[in-house]
Structure formats: C-alpha cells, structure tokens
C-alpha cells in the first residue's frame, strides 16, 4: 500500500482526445513511471509494482510515452488518429508495464531471435478487480508469453494482484490452468488475433505461443531491469527514450 500512497496520478485534457495526458507526481514533483517508480515492491518476496495503463474491458490504447519528458501516459496514435483496440471487449486483463525495465532494441534474445521493442515490459494483470488508469498495483509473476510483434521481441508477463482472492493459489502456469481453465489459450488467441481486425496478419510467437513458467518469467523481468540500468547509465545505446527523472 505504501507505494500507492506516495504517487499521485494527474490528468490533463479530455479523455479520447490527442491532448489527454496522465502524469505521475510525488511530493508535488513530476516523476517518471518508467524510471522513478521502483520495479520491486518487495524484492525478497518477489512482489513487483506494475503501472496500469489500460483497465480491463476497455479499448483505448494508452501507454507510457517513451519520448516525452517524465513519460506521461498518453493515447497511442497512428497517422494522427487515436488508436483503439476494437477486438472483442477490448483488453481481457488489466494491462500495463513494469517500471524500471526496458526491452533493449540493441539486444537480440536467443529464444525469440528478435530485438527488444524499446519499451518497458508489458504486463497482463489477471485479477478480478478492474483497475484504474495510472493505478500502481503490487503483483506476483506467474509466467510469460513471447510475442513477436512486427519483428520485435515483445514479452507479455502474466501476473496477479497480491490482494486478489486467487493470488495465494496461483503461483505458476499449472496453477493458473487449474484455477482458470482456458484462460491462457484465450490470452494466446487475443494476442495472436487482435490486429487482424485492422487487416493485419496474425501475430507470431516464440515457444509456439505457449506460456513459459514463473522461473523463466522472473529471469526475463530481471534481465530487462538490468537493460534499464544500462539505459540510465548511458552504457546502452539510447534510441529516443526520455530519461528525465527525480531519482538519480
């Protein structure tokens, strides 16, 4: 809970317009959800903070903006038009990103044979509560899928809110299959097909679209946290990411 209390999420402009933006503040100062909010809520217990960008069953494609100072959440655009995912009921989980992670576009992952997509790691939070935009949830990692999105590695980390009624029962992929039968295949289908509604081909995956288990997923999170550290230190080549932040 402490993490949530420290950060305020403030919006400007009307929703569903190009002007809409959501900033994070702490102690009255702008902070970056990419660089300032800590990845770990409790490192020993493997509990992570996730920044929710898109609440479940909504369609506006909101995301932490890499290029703008302090990385506000904005609605993605394509050719100057606001983007919506008009597939099914929209996103089938609360969707967001792990702060202080970066999918390095200079790094080709051996399992995907593709470079990182230059974004923070994407996170699906599968709990029963519908989140709010800009909410910071504490989650545990369950597994990960490896989407190949237009030739780039795009991990989708599957997590559950630690306060969810099922959280104690779901510790890995086998638990998830047992507690929520069919949910993983529905998740695979969603990521495979959501772009087909705009005439694009199905997305591809590594591992034949299967979810990798918790230990592998935790390694991916840690690896992308290390990539982020290299981005911040200047060790990795930066391709357009704004690094403004309060924590040095």
């Amino acid at each position: 809970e402490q993490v949530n209390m420290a950060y305020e999420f403030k919006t400007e402009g009307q929703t569903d317009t190009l002007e809409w933006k959501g900033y994070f503040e702490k102690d009255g100062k702008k902070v970056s959800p990419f660089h300032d909010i800590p990845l770990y809520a409790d490192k020993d217990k493997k509990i992570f903070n996730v920044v929710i960008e898109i609440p479940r069953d909504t369609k506006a494609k909101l995301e932490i903006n890499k290029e703008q100072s302090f990385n506000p959440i904005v609605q993605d655009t394509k050719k100057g038009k606001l983007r919506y995912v008009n597939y099914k009921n929209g996103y089938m989980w609360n969707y967001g990103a792990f702060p202080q992670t970066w999918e390095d576009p200079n790094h080709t992952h051996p399992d995907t044979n593709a470079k990182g997509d230059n974004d923070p790691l994407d996170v699906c939070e599968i709990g029963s509560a519908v989140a709010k935009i800009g909410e910071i949830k504490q989650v545990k990692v369950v597994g990960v899928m490896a989407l190949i999105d237009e030739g780039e590695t795009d991990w989708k980390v599957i997590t559950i809110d630690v306060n969810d009624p099922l959280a104690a029962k779901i510790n890995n992929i086998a638990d998830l299959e047992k507690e929520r039968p069919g949910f993983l295949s529905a998740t695979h289908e969603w990521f495979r097909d959501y772009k087909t509604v705009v005439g694009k081909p199905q997305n591809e995956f590594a591992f034949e679209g299967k979810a990798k288990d918790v230990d592998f997923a935790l390694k991916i999170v840690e690896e992308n946290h290390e990539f982020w550290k290299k981005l911040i230190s200047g060790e990795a080549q930066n391709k357009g990411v704004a690094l403004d932040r309060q924590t040095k």
Side-chain angles (χ1 to χ4, degrees):
E1 239 348 70
Q2 271 119 356
V3 169
N4 279 358
M5 288 164 57
Y7 296 95
E8 277 188 281
F9 184 65
K10 293 189 171 172
T11 62
E12 50 189 59
Q14 288 295 308
T15 53
D16 297 292
T17 69
L18 294 165
E19 288 71 40
W20 183 88
K21 263 178 202 176
Y23 282 103
F24 291 83
E25 288 187 0
K26 187 180 181 187
D27 305 326
K29 290 194 184 114
K30 267 184 193 173
V31 294
S32 163
F34 198 159
H35 310 306
D36 282 314
I37 295 170
L39 170 61
Y40 290 100
D42 186 327
K43 193 164 184 179
D44 294 337
K45 291 185 180 158
K46 300 192 176 83
I47 296 171
F48 300 88
N49 292 314
V50 61
V51 178
I52 301 297
E53 299 159 311
I54 304 172
R56 186 174 77 234
D57 296 328
T58 66
K59 297 183 175 183
K61 192 167 180 356
L62 306 177
E63 56 186 21
I64 292 170
N65 182 285
K66 299 188 288 272
E67 296 84 15
Q68 293 184 37
S69 183
F70 289 103
N71 314 111
I73 294 178
V74 303
Q75 188 164 347
D76 194 21
T77 57
K78 192 109 192 185
K79 296 180 181 160
K81 291 207 164 61
L82 293 169
R83 276 186 74 185
Y84 296 87
V85 171
N86 290 311
Y87 177 67
K88 300 199 170 182
N89 297 327
Y91 286 73
M92 58 173 279
W93 347 254
N94 298 309
Y95 192 74
F98 276 141
Q100 297 188 335
T101 63
W102 179 55
E103 295 203 51
D104 184 351
N106 311 294
H107 172 77
T108 300
H109 196 280
D111 290 315
T112 62
N113 207 16
K115 292 186 159 75
D117 71 355
N118 201 30
D119 281 325
L121 276 174
D122 292 325
V123 179
C124 302
E125 190 282 309
I126 65 169
S128 54
V130 176
K132 295 185 185 73
I133 303 168
E135 188 176 340
I136 300 164
K137 280 184 170 285
Q138 284 69 55
V139 300
K140 63 186 203 184
V141 167
V142 178
V144 66
M145 283 183 182
L147 187 64
I148 313 291
D149 190 358
E150 300 183 14
E152 295 176 325
T153 302
D154 195 6
W155 299 105
K156 306 295 181 188
V157 186
I158 299 160
T159 70
I160 188 164
D161 186 329
V162 292
N163 298 310
D164 191 83
L166 281 179
K169 291 184 172 172
I170 298 180
N171 296 298
N172 54 43
I173 290 298
D175 292 345
L176 177 53
E177 286 281 35
K178 182 174 160 227
E179 298 295 331
R180 308 267 312 261
F183 188 77
L184 274 174
S185 61
T187 293
H188 170 252
E189 185 183 303
W190 197 99
F191 281 122
R192 186 189 67 197
D193 292 347
Y194 81 99
K195 287 188 177 179
T196 60
V197 292
V198 291
K200 289 195 172 176
Q202 289 183 327
N203 276 320
E204 292 173 33
F205 296 80
F207 316 117
E208 296 168 346
K210 300 276 187 288
K212 300 292 279 182
D213 217 347
V214 56
D215 292 340
F216 184 95
L218 288 167
K219 273 200 208 96
I220 293 297
V221 177
E222 188 50 50
E223 177 177 71
N224 284 270
H225 184 47
E226 292 303 315
F227 290 152
W228 170 80
K229 287 180 186 170
K230 289 182 173 168
L231 173 70
I232 286 294
S233 71
E235 206 181 315
Q237 187 191 354
N238 183 354
K239 300 186 177 174
V241 177
L243 299 181
D244 306 299
R245 60 196 189 278
Q246 298 296 347
T247 38
K248 293 296 184 240

